[in-house]
């Protein structure tokens, strides 16, 4: 991995960045005296409550309490983590981000490869509006697939015309370029002529696949008719591992104002059509089943993930693979939901019939992880007597034990199983069950196309100016660009089926023993979790307005060192300056250890989670109470140790302990 960014560079970057330019490039500002005002981009409002102070280089919203400097604004507005926000601002400022000693990451090592892939995206987009055979492509998109010109532009769709070497002749004119295109999966070497190549993608609609930062890393190509394969994706390359990427994640981060939930669908076209209807927070796997890496990645961004499956046998089987993938990476305060569509429907077809509002009603009515787990465990049971109930309990516990042991959610699941099976929780906990192994994310033939991005400020992003204004709608007269042009079925009312029914299929759809396949993909090591004190500190950093309503007892402040010392220092600052934010704090702090501690917390994956807590003050207060209780118990222990000076004292405490033991027995 690349080394960390030096703190001195971050200070220099903030000094050279004008927050007014940063904010004005993303939202509309209005001059009001010495400051600027705007409708807050972080919550819905009708009158402006967002204020930007160019002299102090910070912003604050009087409606939702959001505030900070240029870095925090880019993080929240662009849905980026701390490092990515630094890199975006550095690029705008014309600065190269330095790194302390460390190996370059895979993107730094493959800069030329990424450049060739970006050029390929430019080429395919250009062909969609300039090639003599472009009408065939635009007719397919508009008439056959019902996509508006605007959504094609937002997702950067392109066209690979017929011919063996169109891309090769345009981009691969030199040997080193051909080598990079081959490495990136864009060319195939001729078997009978080593060193000679031809285009992998020919006569297809092209979907650029982007990573979470908007860089083109691969492509998917969709045939116009029934040619095989219907969908052709890039092979795995140094910058593209399909089991780790999610189609549409970059688009979801860019185009969803408040990203608190992500929907995982089965097909790429589902993502595009949902976005066209205003549901911009959908992603799709790239020809593989949803796996633990995908879910762990999404949990860094949102607290709720809904897995959406087609209403057929394959969709129901995929739901169980999703269940198994979710169990080992579940976290408290996170949710996995399951949405099962009607038989024969997929998100693409259903949102066209019902519209955005009805589809969102279905999302709200999605099943919980516990519901699907218990229902699946019972579906595998064939006996309706005590033996069947025992088998049900075994089936359920084999899955529940895959949950991390420290989770409160695991204890809740065991208690629910106890209620349903009649077996007490202690017995369930103390019984040894066989360990289920997870599904491997084996490749599957994708049901839809590939990736597609929106507007981007990156130089390596496809230039959307390739699409002239006439492509937007005039070429798509047969399809209304308005996402709400589909009439929802007024008779539709989403309902939850009763718990006693089997809502997503019969038991023969989920055969016993399917969980015993090995999972080939290994999970990357998780980011170290923050201590409770650091989590409370992060809550105050991200929502400093809560500090004034919180009290830290003097004994705790007097005892403070290390993490607790930083916690108290940050609390004292914001309690004294309730209208200030992190930008003010960093500006007033000269101690390098404090600055480094703040940056480390803001850079942690939990920052995105803490930013969205509904009641952060409760978490901070509970942490203080726990620290105070621990301090009290330590004080009592110290008193006890100090009081045992003589043999009589020792005998007294032995008798006390014996009395306590006898009472317990």
């Amino acid at each position: 991995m690349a080394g960390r960014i030096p703190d001195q560079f971050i200070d220099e970057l903030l000094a050279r960045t004008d927050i007014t330019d940063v904010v004005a490039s993303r939202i509309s500002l209005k001059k009001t005296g010495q400051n600027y005002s705007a409708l807050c981009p972080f919550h819905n409002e009708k009158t402006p409550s967002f204020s930007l102070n160019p002299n102090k280089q910070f912003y604050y919203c009087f409606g939702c309490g959001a505030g900070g400097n240029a870095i925090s604004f880019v993080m929240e507005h662009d849905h980026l983590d701390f490092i990515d926000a630094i890199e975006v601002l550095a690029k705008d400022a014309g600065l190269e981000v330095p790194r302390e000693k460390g190996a370059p990451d895979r993107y730094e090592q493959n800069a030329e490869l990424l450049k060739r892939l970006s050029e390929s995206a430019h080429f395919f987009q250009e062909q969609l509006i300039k090639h003599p055979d472009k009408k065939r492509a635009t007719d397919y998109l508009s008439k056959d697939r019902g996509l508006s010109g605007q959504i094609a532009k937002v997702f950067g769709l392109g066209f690979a015309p017929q011919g063996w070497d169109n891309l090769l002749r345009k981009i691969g004119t030199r040997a080193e370029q051909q080598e990079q295109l081959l490495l990136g999966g864009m060319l195939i070497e001729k078997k009978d002529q080593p060193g000679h190549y031809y285009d992998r993608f020919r006569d297809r609609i092209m979907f650029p696949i982007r990573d979470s930062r908007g860089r083109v890393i691969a492509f998917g190509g969709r045939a116009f008719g029934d040619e095989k394969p219907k969908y052709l994706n890039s092979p795995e390359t140094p910058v593209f591992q399909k089991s780790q990427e999610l189609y549409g994640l970059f688009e979801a981060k860019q185009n969803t104002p408040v990203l608190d939930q992500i929907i995982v669908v089965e097909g790429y076209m589902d993502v595009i059509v949902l976005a066209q209807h205003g549901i911009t927070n959908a992603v799709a796997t790239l020809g593989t089943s949803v796996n633990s890496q995908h879910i762990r990645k999404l949990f860094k961004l949102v607290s709720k993930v809904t897995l959406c499956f087609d209403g057929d046998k394959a969709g129901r089987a995929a739901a169980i693979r999703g269940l198994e993938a979710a169990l080992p990476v579940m976290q408290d305060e996170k949710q996995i939901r399951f949405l099962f569509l009607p038989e024969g429907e997929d998100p693409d077809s259903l949102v066209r019939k019902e519209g955005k509002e009805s589809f969102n009603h279905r999302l709200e009515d999605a099943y919980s992880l516990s519901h699907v787990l218990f229902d699946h465990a019972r579906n595998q049971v064939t006996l309706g007597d005590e033996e069947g109930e025992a088998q049900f309990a075994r089936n359920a516990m084999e899955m529940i034990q895959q949950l991390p042991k420290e989770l409160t959610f695991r204890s809740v699941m065991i208690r629910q199983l106890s209620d349903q099976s009649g077996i007490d929780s202690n017995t369930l906990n103390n019984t040894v069950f066989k360990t289920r192994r997870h599904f491997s994310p084996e490749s599957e033939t994708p049901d839809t196309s590939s990736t597609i991005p929106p507007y981007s400020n990156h130089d390596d992003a496809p230039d959307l100016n390739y699409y002239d204004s006439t492509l937007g709608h005039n070429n798509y007269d047969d399809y209304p660009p308005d996402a709400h042009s589909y009439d929802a079925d007024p008779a539709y009312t989403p309902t939850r089926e009763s718990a006693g029914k089997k809502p997503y299929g019969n038991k023969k759809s989920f055969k016993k023993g399917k969980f015993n396949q090995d999972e080939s993909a290994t999970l990357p090591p998780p980011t170290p979790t923050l201590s409770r004190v650091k989590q409370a500190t992060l809550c105050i950093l991200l929502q400093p307005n809560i500090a004034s309503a919180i009290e830290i007892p003097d004994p705790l402040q007097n005892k403070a060192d290390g993490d607790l010392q930083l916690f108290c220092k940050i609390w004292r600052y914001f309690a004294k300056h309730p209208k200030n934010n992190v930008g003010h704090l960093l500006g007033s702090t000269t101690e390098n250890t404090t600055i480094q501690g703040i940056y480390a917390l803001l850079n942690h994956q939990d920052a995105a989670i803490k930013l969205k807590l509904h009641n952060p003050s409760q978490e901070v207060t509970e942490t203080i109470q726990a620290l105070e209780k621990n301090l009290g118990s330590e004080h009592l222990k110290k008193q006890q140790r100090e009081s045992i000076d003589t043999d009589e004292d020792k005998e007294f405490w032995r008798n006390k302990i014996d009395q306590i033991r006898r009472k317990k027995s």
Side-chain angles (χ1 to χ4, degrees), residues 325-450:
L327 292 172
V329 294
M330 278 299 297
Q331 303 172 28
D332 284 330
E333 299 181 358
K334 301 290 187 180
Q335 291 185 59
I336 292 287
R337 310 284 289 183
F338 294 80
L339 173 60
F340 299 95
L341 304 182
E343 187 75 28
E345 299 284 3
D346 55 29
D348 180 343
S349 64
L350 194 61
V351 76
R352 293 179 192 275
K353 291 180 181 179
E354 298 183 346
K356 175 183 177 181
E357 186 175 352
S358 292
F359 194 88
N360 280 333
H361 284 325
R362 289 186 179 273
L363 287 171
E364 293 169 3
D365 204 43
Y367 290 96
S368 66
L369 182 146
S370 61
H371 181 102
V372 174
L373 185 150
F374 290 132
D375 210 50
H376 176 57
R378 196 169 291 283
N379 279 346
Q380 295 179 299
V381 174
T382 56
L383 300 176
D385 52 18
E386 289 80 1
E387 291 181 21
E389 287 302 305
Q391 182 61 51
F392 159 68
R394 284 193 293 271
N395 293 341
M397 274 304 296
E398 286 169 13
M399 290 184 281
I400 291 173
Q401 68 180 0
Q402 296 304 308
L403 292 165
K405 292 182 179 179
E406 68 275 10
L407 292 191
T408 304
F409 179 62
R410 176 180 171 131
S411 301
V412 172
M413 292 287 286
I414 293 174
R415 188 174 68 246
Q416 289 182 3
L417 178 58
S418 175
D419 293 340
Q420 294 191 31
S421 66
I423 304 173
D424 67 87
S425 299
N426 288 334
T427 302
L428 291 170
N429 265 318
N430 295 329
T431 302
V432 178
F433 295 91
K434 67 180 180 181
T435 301
R436 289 177 181 263
R437 286 171 290 183
H438 311 137
F439 278 98
S440 62
E442 67 271 13
S443 298
E444 299 172 3
T445 303
D447 264 353
T448 33
S449 40
S450 250

Side-chain angles (χ1 to χ4, degrees), residues 632-644 653:
S633 63
E634 287 182 0
H635 179 69
L636 289 175
K637 288 177 184 176
K638 182 180 179 182
Q639 276 190 326
Q640 179 178 318
R641 287 194 299 269
E642 291 174 350
S643 68
I644 305 177
W653 285 110

Side-chain angles (χ1 to χ4, degrees), residues 118-177:
S118 177
E119 291 171 350
S120 299
H122 279 283
F123 172 76
F124 293 134
Q125 291 173 1
E126 189 175 28
Q127 301 311 298
L128 187 59
I129 50 176
K130 291 186 177 180
H131 194 273
D133 199 22
K134 67 177 183 180
K135 190 174 186 303
R136 181 165 176 255
T138 55
D139 281 353
Y140 172 81
L141 291 173
S142 63
K143 297 178 181 179
D144 295 352
R145 302 312 302 258
L147 299 183
S148 68
Q150 181 62 30
I151 206 69
K153 180 177 180 179
V154 168
F155 278 93
L157 304 190
F159 172 45
Q162 293 180 343
W164 291 94
D165 57 358
N166 293 302
L167 182 69
L168 178 62
R169 285 188 289 108
K170 179 68 175 181
I171 300 176
T173 55
R174 298 196 303 270
E176 59 269 24
Q177 293 173 331

Side-chain angles (χ1 to χ4, degrees), residues 309-329:
F309 300 100
D310 296 350
D312 55 18
K313 182 178 179 180
R316 295 189 295 269
I320 301 307
R321 292 196 292 271
L323 171 67
E324 283 291 302
L327 292 172
V329 294

Side-chain angles (χ1 to χ4, degrees), residues 89 129 170 278 510 531 650:
L89 289 173
I129 50 176
K170 179 68 175 181
F510 311 107
S531 67
K650 293 177 183 178

